[in-house]
Amino acid sequence: MSKKGKKAKTPLSDEEQLLLFQQKLLADEEVARKKERLLSLFLKDKLAKEEHNSALNLNKINTQWRTVLREVKTKELHKDIEILSQTFERVVDCKDSVIKSLARDLSEAEEQYAIALRSHMHNIDQLLALQRCRLNLLEENYSMELETLTKEFEIERKTIIEQHEKEICYLQDVFMAMEQNYIDSEYESKLEFQSMWDDLKNKNIEEKHFLRLQLESVVEDLWRRFQDALKNYTDATEDRKIAFETLKVKDEKSSKDIEVQMKRIQKLQDSILILKGKIMVHSRESEEQNQYIRDDKELVLVQLRKLKAQRTHVREIAQENLVKLTLESNATLKVLRAIVDKGEKILKLAEICRKFETEEEKVLPFYSSILTPEEQEEIEEIIPEELTEELAKVIADYIGMDNFWKRYNKVKLEQLSLQQRRTQLLEINGRLREMLKRYLDGISVSDEVLSQLNPLFIVNYRSNLPQPLSKPTTQPGDKKSSTTYNIIEAAHVISHIL
């Protein structure tokens, strides 16, 4: 027993361990494949049952829905048939009345046609009689003209035949003369050609004989040289020829040995290739399996990343949309509140302004156009050219504000006129104030009046205005300078005299 235990505990070699590991892997793969097959079969059966149940349920729903639709459709068709029958009866009545009226028209038309046919036949008979008379006259004229034409034709035919015969005789004579001339010229040209051909033939024969002699002498010289060169070559290469034959024998033996070795090498290479092919097939199968697994893993990871990215992107978009929506809603609420406040202010101002309206404004709140008809036509001609589509749409949206703008423009014009009147009154008030001040300065005595220039203030017959020292010299071409006069108040003079 101890020996058997020792034998069992002997360590396995690497190859045996590798084989065991491969067997385990194969067994695990087989188990996994069986599980996958069983799972796929279960899922296929389940899917087939679900499809069968869904098809049955769908058929049931369709049948019930068809019955409902048939009932609805039958009701609709009954209503349509009743309507169609009523319309058909109405149309038939109309058609009957039309047919009766047409029958009456047809009978009247047949009577009119018979009357017209009789008058037409009478007219045709008269026309036929006239046509027969015309045909008889035309036949007589035609026979007369035909006889004259036949006589003229016979005369012309005889003259043409005679002239044709004369021309044929003339052409035959010309043809014979030309043929004779052609035969003579042909004989002369043949003689000249024969003589020239003989001369050329003789010259070619002489040149050929001379060239043959020259070439024979050259060929003999070349043949002699070739024989001498052949003798020299055979004498010089006799030893090499013997060595070549011995080497040739050795080459044949070595070639046979090489063929035998090559066959052995080829057999070994074939066996190596077979083994390599088996190894490559096994490695490819394992690599393909691993690659399929890796590809599936990568696809799953890529899909997972895409789904995560889509989820984050959707969340970001939803967050951005929510922020935008809140901001826009707050902005719109503020704008709407401002509009409401503005409208309330306008309504309050309108109520306040209504108290200050005159009776004319209450009766006629909108003034008519101040423009003349000609100016109005010019504006209507100018405006369509300058308006664009967008501007026209905007103007169409604001047409309802015309009355408001009329009242606003009326108030604006009144405001401008009042402002202008105010400026005018302020200017008049300023002028009057200046005049009053001057008057008061003239009748009152104070430090301010004494410090300023005043023509009414006179002491010892002298004013405080500056007097000119010397008279300006006037030239004959110059204008006269304006002289200044001192004015003394009468009341002041009388007070001093008394």
Side-chain angles (χ1 to χ4, degrees), residues 95-129:
K95 295 286 184 184
D96 290 333
S97 63
V98 170
I99 288 163
K100 288 175 182 177
S101 64
L102 288 171
R104 285 196 298 274
D105 295 336
L106 185 65
S107 61
E108 291 175 359
E110 284 178 352
E111 290 175 358
Q112 291 175 1
Y113 173 72
I115 294 161
L117 184 65
R118 283 195 294 273
S119 63
H120 178 65
M121 293 300 291
H122 180 68
N123 292 326
I124 286 169
D125 293 332
Q126 290 179 355
L127 288 170
L128 285 170

Side-chain angles (χ1 to χ4, degrees), residues 143-160:
S143 61
M144 295 287 288
E145 289 177 358
L146 184 64
E147 287 177 359
T148 54
L149 287 170
T150 49
K151 288 176 182 177
E152 289 175 358
F153 176 72
E154 289 293 333
I155 293 162
E156 286 179 0
R157 184 167 174 276
K158 288 178 182 178
T159 54
I160 289 164

Side-chain angles (χ1 to χ4, degrees), residues 1-9:
M1 293 292 287
S2 63
K3 289 180 182 178
K4 287 181 182 178
K6 286 178 183 178
K7 285 180 183 177
K9 288 177 183 179

Side-chain angles (χ1 to χ4, degrees), residues 181-291:
N181 291 325
Y182 174 73
I183 289 163
D184 295 335
S185 62
E186 186 180 5
Y187 180 69
E188 290 175 357
S189 61
K190 280 181 180 180
L191 289 172
E192 288 177 358
F193 173 74
Q194 193 67 33
S195 63
M196 288 173 71
W197 185 73
D198 292 334
D199 294 334
L200 289 169
K201 189 177 180 182
N202 293 324
K203 284 180 184 179
N204 286 325
I205 289 163
E206 288 176 358
E207 288 175 357
K208 189 177 179 182
H209 183 67
F210 179 72
L211 289 168
R212 187 182 289 170
L213 293 172
Q214 286 181 351
L215 289 169
E216 282 178 357
S217 61
V218 170
V219 167
E220 286 177 357
D221 292 334
L222 289 170
W223 180 252
R224 279 196 227 99
R225 289 177 188 174
F226 177 71
Q227 290 294 328
D228 294 334
L230 185 63
K231 285 179 183 179
N232 293 324
Y233 177 75
T234 52
D235 293 335
T237 57
E238 221 173 301
D239 297 331
R240 292 179 182 176
K241 191 176 180 181
I242 293 163
F244 174 72
E245 287 177 356
T246 55
L247 289 168
K248 191 176 180 182
V249 172
K250 288 179 182 180
D251 184 50
E252 288 176 356
K253 289 180 182 178
S254 61
S255 65
K256 288 178 182 178
D257 294 333
I258 287 163
E259 284 179 0
V260 172
Q261 295 295 328
M262 286 295 289
K263 285 178 182 178
R264 289 180 184 175
I265 289 162
Q266 190 66 34
K267 287 178 182 179
L268 292 169
Q269 284 180 353
D270 293 335
S271 62
I272 288 161
L273 287 169
I274 290 161
L275 293 170
K276 281 183 179 179
K278 289 179 180 178
I279 290 162
M280 289 291 286
V281 168
H282 290 299
S283 64
R284 279 176 191 169
E285 288 177 355
S286 62
E287 283 177 0
E288 285 176 356
Q289 289 176 359
N290 293 327
Q291 190 66 34

Side-chain angles (χ1 to χ4, degrees), residues 265-440:
I265 289 162
Q266 190 66 34
K267 287 178 182 179
L268 292 169
Q269 284 180 353
D270 293 335
S271 62
I272 288 161
L273 287 169
I274 290 161
L275 293 170
K276 281 183 179 179
K278 289 179 180 178
I279 290 162
M280 289 291 286
V281 168
H282 290 299
S283 64
R284 279 176 191 169
E285 288 177 355
S286 62
E287 283 177 0
E288 285 176 356
Q289 289 176 359
N290 293 327
Q291 190 66 34
Y292 287 143
I293 293 162
R294 285 195 207 99
D295 294 336
D296 293 334
K297 186 180 177 182
E298 287 176 358
L299 286 169
V300 171
L301 288 170
V302 168
Q303 289 177 355
L304 183 64
R305 286 184 198 129
K306 285 182 180 177
L307 291 169
K308 284 181 179 179
Q310 287 177 0
R311 186 184 65 187
T312 54
H313 184 63
V314 168
R315 280 182 181 175
E316 289 174 358
I317 291 165
Q319 191 71 25
E320 289 176 358
N321 291 328
L322 185 62
V323 171
K324 284 181 183 177
L325 186 63
T326 53
L327 292 170
E328 288 175 357
S329 64
N330 289 325
T332 49
L333 286 169
K334 288 178 182 177
V335 172
L336 291 169
R337 281 172 193 157
I339 291 163
V340 169
D341 294 335
K342 197 172 181 182
E344 288 176 354
K345 284 180 183 178
I346 290 163
L347 291 170
K348 286 177 183 177
L349 289 169
E351 288 176 358
I352 293 162
C353 291
R354 243 183 236 113
K355 296 176 184 178
F356 300 104
E357 284 181 355
T358 60
E359 291 181 358
E360 185 182 355
E361 288 176 348
K362 287 178 182 178
V363 174
L364 295 170
F366 309 112
Y367 69 94
S368 60
S369 181
I370 302 166
L371 300 173
T372 60
E374 295 176 354
E375 291 175 349
Q376 193 73 28
E377 288 177 359
E378 288 178 0
I379 289 163
E380 288 176 357
E381 288 176 357
I382 291 162
I383 287 166
E385 294 177 357
E386 296 177 354
L387 288 176
T388 58
E389 291 182 0
E390 295 178 358
L391 191 59
K393 288 178 182 177
V394 172
I395 289 165
D397 293 334
Y398 289 97
I399 285 166
M401 299 288 287
D402 285 341
N403 294 325
F404 168 76
W405 287 117
K406 282 181 181 179
R407 292 190 75 180
Y408 178 78
N409 291 330
K410 186 179 179 183
V411 172
K412 196 74 177 173
L413 288 168
E414 288 178 356
Q415 184 185 358
L416 291 170
S417 65
L418 290 170
Q419 285 177 358
Q420 194 172 4
R421 181 65 179 162
R422 184 172 178 274
T423 53
Q424 289 175 358
L425 292 171
L426 286 170
E427 288 176 359
I428 293 162
N429 192 10
R431 288 174 193 166
L432 292 170
R433 280 176 185 275
E434 286 178 1
M435 290 170 71
L436 184 62
K437 187 180 179 185
R438 286 175 190 171
Y439 177 73
L440 291 171

Side-chain angles (χ1 to χ4, degrees), residues 465-472 484:
L465 290 172
Q467 297 293 327
L469 294 173
S470 62
K471 290 181 180 180
T484 57

